Amino acid sequence: MADSEYIFSTAHGEEIRVIISTRRGLRNITLRPKTRPIREIHISKPWLVCDRVALDFLESKRRWIERAFERAPAKEVVAPGINIEILGRRVTVVHDGARHSNGYSDDGRTLVIGGTSDMFERRLRDFIKKEFLTEVKRMVRTAPRELWPSRIAVRDTTSRWGSCSSTGTMSFSWRLAFAPPDVMRYVVMHEVAHRVHMDHSPAFWATVGELYGFGVERAKRWLNAHGAELHKYL
């Protein structure tokens, strides 16, 4: 069944596209506001639920939806010459069309992105994702081996920084690459702790503290206060 499209008008007059998809086997209506790269609202509904019911449900969540878009930071243009922090390293990103590869300069202060100019953002994003995965694996290996995941996946989620499944797969938002390293490490240790406790009980938080060490609460506070800012690039 084809997706349906509607328009959600905010209190400030912004019109946001709403895409409703029908999913077999789904038992409840789910909402997912997307602020990057395009501002949209995605609704998934069970097979027998009509669009009108889904839209009424969206309207009942209006305050939450509007808050999500209001909190989303304005996207910053990513172009050659931008100065950003990646995995704790402050670099200037430049473009060199004569190069086929991407990499840091010898002094580590410049990140050179090769290829054609129209592929600049994509190649930069792919480079950051690759470096991020490497760093996540390094952090995971600082935990006891029996807690290592069976698989690590890199995602681009808007509502969760990380997750750990019962099968041992851990997923992380690559946008944590823009966070301070101690904040990124907090999320990694948070998910590693779920290998012991699949909940958020006192025992779970005690395990997070043991894995992370001093500063857990400080890292949590930073993420709660500044997490939305990690979506402003790319």
Side-chain angles (χ1 to χ4, degrees), residues 194-223:
H194 278 311
R195 295 282 285 153
V196 183
H197 305 284
M198 292 297 289
D199 54 29
H200 289 95
S201 63
F204 163 80
W205 287 112
T207 301
V208 175
E210 292 171 4
L211 292 168
Y212 184 90
F214 180 77
V216 170
E217 291 302 321
R218 181 177 60 220
K220 279 179 63 177
R221 287 194 299 270
W222 190 97
L223 194 58

PDB file of all heavy atoms in Angstrom, residues 194-223:
ATOM      1  N   HIS A 194      24.346  -2.652  29.525  1.00  0.00           N
ATOM      2  CA  HIS A 194      23.117  -3.394  29.221  1.00  0.00           C
ATOM      3  C   HIS A 194      23.394  -4.853  28.895  1.00  0.00           C
ATOM      4  O   HIS A 194      22.467  -5.666  28.854  1.00  0.00           O
ATOM      5  CB  HIS A 194      22.372  -2.737  28.051  1.00  0.00           C
ATOM      6  CG  HIS A 194      21.528  -1.573  28.456  1.00  0.00           C
ATOM      7  ND1 HIS A 194      20.633  -1.623  29.506  1.00  0.00           N
ATOM      8  CD2 HIS A 194      21.429  -0.313  27.937  1.00  0.00           C
ATOM      9  CE1 HIS A 194      20.019  -0.461  29.618  1.00  0.00           C
ATOM     10  NE2 HIS A 194      20.497   0.360  28.700  1.00  0.00           N
ATOM     11  N   ARG A 195      24.639  -5.198  28.673  1.00  0.00           N
ATOM     12  CA  ARG A 195      24.979  -6.607  28.485  1.00  0.00           C
ATOM     13  C   ARG A 195      24.825  -7.374  29.798  1.00  0.00           C
ATOM     14  O   ARG A 195      24.732  -8.600  29.791  1.00  0.00           O
ATOM     15  CB  ARG A 195      26.417  -6.730  27.971  1.00  0.00           C
ATOM     16  CG  ARG A 195      26.644  -6.144  26.589  1.00  0.00           C
ATOM     17  CD  ARG A 195      26.138  -7.072  25.502  1.00  0.00           C
ATOM     18  NE  ARG A 195      27.055  -8.204  25.332  1.00  0.00           N
ATOM     19  CZ  ARG A 195      26.705  -9.398  24.877  1.00  0.00           C
ATOM     20  NH1 ARG A 195      25.449  -9.642  24.581  1.00  0.00           N
ATOM     21  NH2 ARG A 195      27.600 -10.348  24.722  1.00  0.00           N
ATOM     22  N   VAL A 196      24.781  -6.631  30.897  1.00  0.00           N
ATOM     23  CA  VAL A 196      24.591  -7.246  32.218  1.00  0.00           C
ATOM     24  C   VAL A 196      23.164  -7.045  32.704  1.00  0.00           C
ATOM     25  O   VAL A 196      22.530  -7.959  33.228  1.00  0.00           O
ATOM     26  CB  VAL A 196      25.571  -6.650  33.243  1.00  0.00           C
ATOM     27  CG1 VAL A 196      25.421  -7.349  34.592  1.00  0.00           C
ATOM     28  CG2 VAL A 196      27.003  -6.737  32.747  1.00  0.00           C
ATOM     29  N   HIS A 197      22.653  -5.845  32.520  1.00  0.00           N
ATOM     30  CA  HIS A 197      21.309  -5.499  32.992  1.00  0.00           C
ATOM     31  C   HIS A 197      20.526  -4.865  31.840  1.00  0.00           C
ATOM     32  O   HIS A 197      20.838  -3.755  31.409  1.00  0.00           O
ATOM     33  CB  HIS A 197      21.381  -4.505  34.157  1.00  0.00           C
ATOM     34  CG  HIS A 197      22.219  -4.969  35.306  1.00  0.00           C
ATOM     35  ND1 HIS A 197      21.791  -5.913  36.216  1.00  0.00           N
ATOM     36  CD2 HIS A 197      23.483  -4.621  35.688  1.00  0.00           C
ATOM     37  CE1 HIS A 197      22.741  -6.132  37.119  1.00  0.00           C
ATOM     38  NE2 HIS A 197      23.779  -5.357  36.809  1.00  0.00           N
ATOM     39  N   MET A 198      19.480  -5.544  31.363  1.00  0.00           N
ATOM     40  CA  MET A 198      18.647  -5.010  30.282  1.00  0.00           C
ATOM     41  C   MET A 198      17.536  -4.135  30.854  1.00  0.00           C
ATOM     42  O   MET A 198      16.356  -4.279  30.511  1.00  0.00           O
ATOM     43  CB  MET A 198      18.075  -6.146  29.439  1.00  0.00           C
ATOM     44  CG  MET A 198      19.110  -6.895  28.630  1.00  0.00           C
ATOM     45  SD  MET A 198      19.933  -5.852  27.381  1.00  0.00           S
ATOM     46  CE  MET A 198      18.610  -5.631  26.195  1.00  0.00           C
ATOM     47  N   ASP A 199      17.905  -3.227  31.721  1.00  0.00           N
ATOM     48  CA  ASP A 199      16.946  -2.310  32.343  1.00  0.00           C
ATOM     49  C   ASP A 199      17.717  -1.087  32.812  1.00  0.00           C
ATOM     50  O   ASP A 199      18.893  -0.921  32.471  1.00  0.00           O
ATOM     51  CB  ASP A 199      16.225  -2.986  33.524  1.00  0.00           C
ATOM     52  CG  ASP A 199      17.201  -3.559  34.561  1.00  0.00           C
ATOM     53  OD1 ASP A 199      18.327  -3.017  34.713  1.00  0.00           O
ATOM     54  OD2 ASP A 199      16.845  -4.536  35.240  1.00  0.00           O
ATOM     55  N   HIS A 200      17.064  -0.223  33.584  1.00  0.00           N
ATOM     56  CA  HIS A 200      17.741   0.949  34.146  1.00  0.00           C
ATOM     57  C   HIS A 200      17.587   0.935  35.662  1.00  0.00           C
ATOM     58  O   HIS A 200      17.275   1.951  36.277  1.00  0.00           O
ATOM     59  CB  HIS A 200      17.189   2.241  33.541  1.00  0.00           C
ATOM     60  CG  HIS A 200      17.588   2.441  32.108  1.00  0.00           C
ATOM     61  ND1 HIS A 200      16.807   2.063  31.053  1.00  0.00           N
ATOM     62  CD2 HIS A 200      18.726   2.957  31.566  1.00  0.00           C
ATOM     63  CE1 HIS A 200      17.427   2.347  29.920  1.00  0.00           C
ATOM     64  NE2 HIS A 200      18.593   2.890  30.196  1.00  0.00           N
ATOM     65  N   SER A 201      17.815  -0.222  36.225  1.00  0.00           N
ATOM     66  CA  SER A 201      17.727  -0.414  37.666  1.00  0.00           C
ATOM     67  C   SER A 201      18.939   0.190  38.364  1.00  0.00           C
ATOM     68  O   SER A 201      19.933   0.541  37.712  1.00  0.00           O
ATOM     69  CB  SER A 201      17.654  -1.911  37.980  1.00  0.00           C
ATOM     70  OG  SER A 201      18.856  -2.547  37.541  1.00  0.00           O
ATOM     71  N   PRO A 202      18.903   0.321  39.692  1.00  0.00           N
ATOM     72  CA  PRO A 202      20.081   0.799  40.426  1.00  0.00           C
ATOM     73  C   PRO A 202      21.321  -0.045  40.133  1.00  0.00           C
ATOM     74  O   PRO A 202      22.435   0.479  40.065  1.00  0.00           O
ATOM     75  CB  PRO A 202      19.639   0.681  41.885  1.00  0.00           C
ATOM     76  CG  PRO A 202      18.157   0.886  41.836  1.00  0.00           C
ATOM     77  CD  PRO A 202      17.719   0.183  40.580  1.00  0.00           C
ATOM     78  N   ALA A 203      21.109  -1.360  39.945  1.00  0.00           N
ATOM     79  CA  ALA A 203      22.236  -2.245  39.638  1.00  0.00           C
ATOM     80  C   ALA A 203      22.848  -1.883  38.281  1.00  0.00           C
ATOM     81  O   ALA A 203      24.072  -1.933  38.100  1.00  0.00           O
ATOM     82  CB  ALA A 203      21.779  -3.698  39.643  1.00  0.00           C
ATOM     83  N   PHE A 204      21.985  -1.517  37.333  1.00  0.00           N
ATOM     84  CA  PHE A 204      22.485  -1.110  36.024  1.00  0.00           C
ATOM     85  C   PHE A 204      23.363   0.126  36.139  1.00  0.00           C
ATOM     86  O   PHE A 204      24.476   0.170  35.610  1.00  0.00           O
ATOM     87  CB  PHE A 204      21.310  -0.826  35.071  1.00  0.00           C
ATOM     88  CG  PHE A 204      21.702  -0.036  33.858  1.00  0.00           C
ATOM     89  CD1 PHE A 204      22.310  -0.657  32.777  1.00  0.00           C
ATOM     90  CD2 PHE A 204      21.480   1.341  33.795  1.00  0.00           C
ATOM     91  CE1 PHE A 204      22.683   0.068  31.652  1.00  0.00           C
ATOM     92  CE2 PHE A 204      21.850   2.073  32.677  1.00  0.00           C
ATOM     93  CZ  PHE A 204      22.458   1.434  31.602  1.00  0.00           C
ATOM     94  N   TRP A 205      22.859   1.164  36.835  1.00  0.00           N
ATOM     95  CA  TRP A 205      23.617   2.407  36.951  1.00  0.00           C
ATOM     96  C   TRP A 205      24.911   2.199  37.731  1.00  0.00           C
ATOM     97  O   TRP A 205      25.919   2.859  37.456  1.00  0.00           O
ATOM     98  CB  TRP A 205      22.758   3.488  37.598  1.00  0.00           C
ATOM     99  CG  TRP A 205      21.702   3.991  36.665  1.00  0.00           C
ATOM    100  CD1 TRP A 205      20.355   3.817  36.767  1.00  0.00           C
ATOM    101  CD2 TRP A 205      21.920   4.722  35.451  1.00  0.00           C
ATOM    102  NE1 TRP A 205      19.718   4.393  35.702  1.00  0.00           N
ATOM    103  CE2 TRP A 205      20.643   4.960  34.879  1.00  0.00           C
ATOM    104  CE3 TRP A 205      23.047   5.193  34.797  1.00  0.00           C
ATOM    105  CZ2 TRP A 205      20.493   5.656  33.689  1.00  0.00           C
ATOM    106  CZ3 TRP A 205      22.896   5.886  33.607  1.00  0.00           C
ATOM    107  CH2 TRP A 205      21.642   6.117  33.061  1.00  0.00           C
ATOM    108  N   ALA A 206      24.893   1.258  38.654  1.00  0.00           N
ATOM    109  CA  ALA A 206      26.125   0.937  39.382  1.00  0.00           C
ATOM    110  C   ALA A 206      27.155   0.338  38.419  1.00  0.00           C
ATOM    111  O   ALA A 206      28.356   0.645  38.496  1.00  0.00           O
ATOM    112  CB  ALA A 206      25.825  -0.029  40.518  1.00  0.00           C
ATOM    113  N   THR A 207      26.672  -0.495  37.500  1.00  0.00           N
ATOM    114  CA  THR A 207      27.569  -1.094  36.502  1.00  0.00           C
ATOM    115  C   THR A 207      28.125  -0.035  35.559  1.00  0.00           C
ATOM    116  O   THR A 207      29.310  -0.055  35.211  1.00  0.00           O
ATOM    117  CB  THR A 207      26.831  -2.178  35.690  1.00  0.00           C
ATOM    118  OG1 THR A 207      26.342  -3.188  36.578  1.00  0.00           O
ATOM    119  CG2 THR A 207      27.761  -2.817  34.670  1.00  0.00           C
ATOM    120  N   VAL A 208      27.274   0.926  35.149  1.00  0.00           N
ATOM    121  CA  VAL A 208      27.748   2.022  34.303  1.00  0.00           C
ATOM    122  C   VAL A 208      28.869   2.767  35.006  1.00  0.00           C
ATOM    123  O   VAL A 208      29.907   3.085  34.412  1.00  0.00           O
ATOM    124  CB  VAL A 208      26.598   3.002  33.958  1.00  0.00           C
ATOM    125  CG1 VAL A 208      27.151   4.206  33.186  1.00  0.00           C
ATOM    126  CG2 VAL A 208      25.528   2.316  33.132  1.00  0.00           C
ATOM    127  N   GLY A 209      28.662   3.052  36.297  1.00  0.00           N
ATOM    128  CA  GLY A 209      29.677   3.770  37.060  1.00  0.00           C
ATOM    129  C   GLY A 209      30.980   2.994  37.158  1.00  0.00           C
ATOM    130  O   GLY A 209      32.067   3.580  37.073  1.00  0.00           O
ATOM    131  N   GLU A 210      30.885   1.690  37.340  1.00  0.00           N
ATOM    132  CA  GLU A 210      32.089   0.857  37.423  1.00  0.00           C
ATOM    133  C   GLU A 210      32.847   0.855  36.098  1.00  0.00           C
ATOM    134  O   GLU A 210      34.077   0.902  36.076  1.00  0.00           O
ATOM    135  CB  GLU A 210      31.698  -0.569  37.801  1.00  0.00           C
ATOM    136  CG  GLU A 210      31.142  -0.713  39.222  1.00  0.00           C
ATOM    137  CD  GLU A 210      30.574  -2.093  39.471  1.00  0.00           C
ATOM    138  OE1 GLU A 210      30.679  -2.947  38.557  1.00  0.00           O
ATOM    139  OE2 GLU A 210      30.017  -2.322  40.566  1.00  0.00           O
ATOM    140  N   LEU A 211      32.109   0.797  34.992  1.00  0.00           N
ATOM    141  CA  LEU A 211      32.750   0.749  33.676  1.00  0.00           C
ATOM    142  C   LEU A 211      33.330   2.098  33.279  1.00  0.00           C
ATOM    143  O   LEU A 211      34.404   2.167  32.669  1.00  0.00           O
ATOM    144  CB  LEU A 211      31.737   0.303  32.617  1.00  0.00           C
ATOM    145  CG  LEU A 211      31.241  -1.145  32.699  1.00  0.00           C
ATOM    146  CD1 LEU A 211      30.047  -1.339  31.777  1.00  0.00           C
ATOM    147  CD2 LEU A 211      32.361  -2.111  32.324  1.00  0.00           C
ATOM    148  N   TYR A 212      32.619   3.159  33.624  1.00  0.00           N
ATOM    149  CA  TYR A 212      33.024   4.492  33.186  1.00  0.00           C
ATOM    150  C   TYR A 212      34.032   5.139  34.125  1.00  0.00           C
ATOM    151  O   TYR A 212      34.997   5.766  33.689  1.00  0.00           O
ATOM    152  CB  TYR A 212      31.788   5.393  33.075  1.00  0.00           C
ATOM    153  CG  TYR A 212      32.093   6.775  32.544  1.00  0.00           C
ATOM    154  CD1 TYR A 212      32.048   7.037  31.179  1.00  0.00           C
ATOM    155  CD2 TYR A 212      32.424   7.822  33.402  1.00  0.00           C
ATOM    156  CE1 TYR A 212      32.329   8.294  30.678  1.00  0.00           C
ATOM    157  CE2 TYR A 212      32.709   9.089  32.916  1.00  0.00           C
ATOM    158  CZ  TYR A 212      32.665   9.320  31.561  1.00  0.00           C
ATOM    159  OH  TYR A 212      32.953  10.576  31.079  1.00  0.00           O
ATOM    160  N   GLY A 213      33.794   4.998  35.422  1.00  0.00           N
ATOM    161  CA  GLY A 213      34.648   5.680  36.384  1.00  0.00           C
ATOM    162  C   GLY A 213      34.057   7.019  36.787  1.00  0.00           C
ATOM    163  O   GLY A 213      32.873   7.301  36.560  1.00  0.00           O
ATOM    164  N   PHE A 214      34.864   7.884  37.342  1.00  0.00           N
ATOM    165  CA  PHE A 214      34.393   9.180  37.822  1.00  0.00           C
ATOM    166  C   PHE A 214      33.907  10.070  36.677  1.00  0.00           C
ATOM    167  O   PHE A 214      34.530  10.125  35.627  1.00  0.00           O
ATOM    168  CB  PHE A 214      35.516   9.901  38.575  1.00  0.00           C
ATOM    169  CG  PHE A 214      35.120  11.248  39.099  1.00  0.00           C
ATOM    170  CD1 PHE A 214      34.342  11.372  40.236  1.00  0.00           C
ATOM    171  CD2 PHE A 214      35.505  12.405  38.432  1.00  0.00           C
ATOM    172  CE1 PHE A 214      33.967  12.612  40.707  1.00  0.00           C
ATOM    173  CE2 PHE A 214      35.145  13.652  38.897  1.00  0.00           C
ATOM    174  CZ  PHE A 214      34.371  13.759  40.041  1.00  0.00           C
ATOM    175  N   GLY A 215      32.778  10.746  36.883  1.00  0.00           N
ATOM    176  CA  GLY A 215      32.298  11.713  35.904  1.00  0.00           C
ATOM    177  C   GLY A 215      31.067  11.313  35.128  1.00  0.00           C
ATOM    178  O   GLY A 215      30.677  12.007  34.182  1.00  0.00           O
ATOM    179  N   VAL A 216      30.424  10.206  35.502  1.00  0.00           N
ATOM    180  CA  VAL A 216      29.240   9.741  34.781  1.00  0.00           C
ATOM    181  C   VAL A 216      28.147  10.799  34.761  1.00  0.00           C
ATOM    182  O   VAL A 216      27.588  11.114  33.700  1.00  0.00           O
ATOM    183  CB  VAL A 216      28.682   8.443  35.402  1.00  0.00           C
ATOM    184  CG1 VAL A 216      27.320   8.110  34.797  1.00  0.00           C
ATOM    185  CG2 VAL A 216      29.642   7.293  35.173  1.00  0.00           C
ATOM    186  N   GLU A 217      27.830  11.372  35.911  1.00  0.00           N
ATOM    187  CA  GLU A 217      26.743  12.340  35.988  1.00  0.00           C
ATOM    188  C   GLU A 217      27.046  13.594  35.168  1.00  0.00           C
ATOM    189  O   GLU A 217      26.159  14.178  34.556  1.00  0.00           O
ATOM    190  CB  GLU A 217      26.470  12.714  37.443  1.00  0.00           C
ATOM    191  CG  GLU A 217      25.873  11.585  38.259  1.00  0.00           C
ATOM    192  CD  GLU A 217      24.565  11.075  37.662  1.00  0.00           C
ATOM    193  OE1 GLU A 217      23.771  11.910  37.185  1.00  0.00           O
ATOM    194  OE2 GLU A 217      24.353   9.852  37.658  1.00  0.00           O
ATOM    195  N   ARG A 218      28.304  14.002  35.138  1.00  0.00           N
ATOM    196  CA  ARG A 218      28.687  15.173  34.353  1.00  0.00           C
ATOM    197  C   ARG A 218      28.461  14.915  32.867  1.00  0.00           C
ATOM    198  O   ARG A 218      27.944  15.776  32.150  1.00  0.00           O
ATOM    199  CB  ARG A 218      30.146  15.521  34.614  1.00  0.00           C
ATOM    200  CG  ARG A 218      30.634  16.750  33.846  1.00  0.00           C
ATOM    201  CD  ARG A 218      32.063  17.070  34.224  1.00  0.00           C
ATOM    202  NE  ARG A 218      32.957  15.963  33.920  1.00  0.00           N
ATOM    203  CZ  ARG A 218      33.956  15.561  34.687  1.00  0.00           C
ATOM    204  NH1 ARG A 218      34.208  16.172  35.838  1.00  0.00           N
ATOM    205  NH2 ARG A 218      34.726  14.553  34.323  1.00  0.00           N
ATOM    206  N   ALA A 219      28.821  13.719  32.395  1.00  0.00           N
ATOM    207  CA  ALA A 219      28.617  13.363  30.992  1.00  0.00           C
ATOM    208  C   ALA A 219      27.128  13.296  30.661  1.00  0.00           C
ATOM    209  O   ALA A 219      26.692  13.761  29.594  1.00  0.00           O
ATOM    210  CB  ALA A 219      29.284  12.021  30.683  1.00  0.00           C
ATOM    211  N   LYS A 220      26.329  12.746  31.569  1.00  0.00           N
ATOM    212  CA  LYS A 220      24.884  12.681  31.366  1.00  0.00           C
ATOM    213  C   LYS A 220      24.291  14.078  31.250  1.00  0.00           C
ATOM    214  O   LYS A 220      23.456  14.343  30.368  1.00  0.00           O
ATOM    215  CB  LYS A 220      24.213  11.943  32.528  1.00  0.00           C
ATOM    216  CG  LYS A 220      24.264  10.438  32.457  1.00  0.00           C
ATOM    217  CD  LYS A 220      23.593   9.811  33.670  1.00  0.00           C
ATOM    218  CE  LYS A 220      22.127  10.147  33.750  1.00  0.00           C
ATOM    219  NZ  LYS A 220      21.467   9.458  34.897  1.00  0.00           N
ATOM    220  N   ARG A 221      24.700  14.959  32.123  1.00  0.00           N
ATOM    221  CA  ARG A 221      24.167  16.322  32.108  1.00  0.00           C
ATOM    222  C   ARG A 221      24.510  17.030  30.802  1.00  0.00           C
ATOM    223  O   ARG A 221      23.691  17.756  30.240  1.00  0.00           O
ATOM    224  CB  ARG A 221      24.692  17.120  33.310  1.00  0.00           C
ATOM    225  CG  ARG A 221      24.076  16.726  34.644  1.00  0.00           C
ATOM    226  CD  ARG A 221      24.371  17.766  35.712  1.00  0.00           C
ATOM    227  NE  ARG A 221      25.804  17.936  35.948  1.00  0.00           N
ATOM    228  CZ  ARG A 221      26.495  17.237  36.838  1.00  0.00           C
ATOM    229  NH1 ARG A 221      25.897  16.318  37.578  1.00  0.00           N
ATOM    230  NH2 ARG A 221      27.793  17.460  37.006  1.00  0.00           N
ATOM    231  N   TRP A 222      25.752  16.830  30.333  1.00  0.00           N
ATOM    232  CA  TRP A 222      26.156  17.483  29.080  1.00  0.00           C
ATOM    233  C   TRP A 222      25.273  17.000  27.937  1.00  0.00           C
ATOM    234  O   TRP A 222      24.797  17.805  27.117  1.00  0.00           O
ATOM    235  CB  TRP A 222      27.614  17.179  28.759  1.00  0.00           C
ATOM    236  CG  TRP A 222      28.154  18.017  27.628  1.00  0.00           C
ATOM    237  CD1 TRP A 222      28.875  19.165  27.719  1.00  0.00           C
ATOM    238  CD2 TRP A 222      27.952  17.792  26.216  1.00  0.00           C
ATOM    239  NE1 TRP A 222      29.147  19.663  26.470  1.00  0.00           N
ATOM    240  CE2 TRP A 222      28.591  18.844  25.524  1.00  0.00           C
ATOM    241  CE3 TRP A 222      27.288  16.798  25.479  1.00  0.00           C
ATOM    242  CZ2 TRP A 222      28.604  18.934  24.132  1.00  0.00           C
ATOM    243  CZ3 TRP A 222      27.281  16.896  24.089  1.00  0.00           C
ATOM    244  CH2 TRP A 222      27.938  17.949  23.434  1.00  0.00           C
ATOM    245  N   LEU A 223      25.037  15.701  27.859  1.00  0.00           N
ATOM    246  CA  LEU A 223      24.253  15.137  26.765  1.00  0.00           C
ATOM    247  C   LEU A 223      22.806  15.626  26.816  1.00  0.00           C
ATOM    248  O   LEU A 223      22.202  15.937  25.783  1.00  0.00           O
ATOM    249  CB  LEU A 223      24.303  13.611  26.805  1.00  0.00           C
ATOM    250  CG  LEU A 223      23.828  12.871  25.557  1.00  0.00           C
ATOM    251  CD1 LEU A 223      24.631  13.306  24.340  1.00  0.00           C
ATOM    252  CD2 LEU A 223      23.944  11.369  25.754  1.00  0.00           C
TER     253      LEU A 223
END
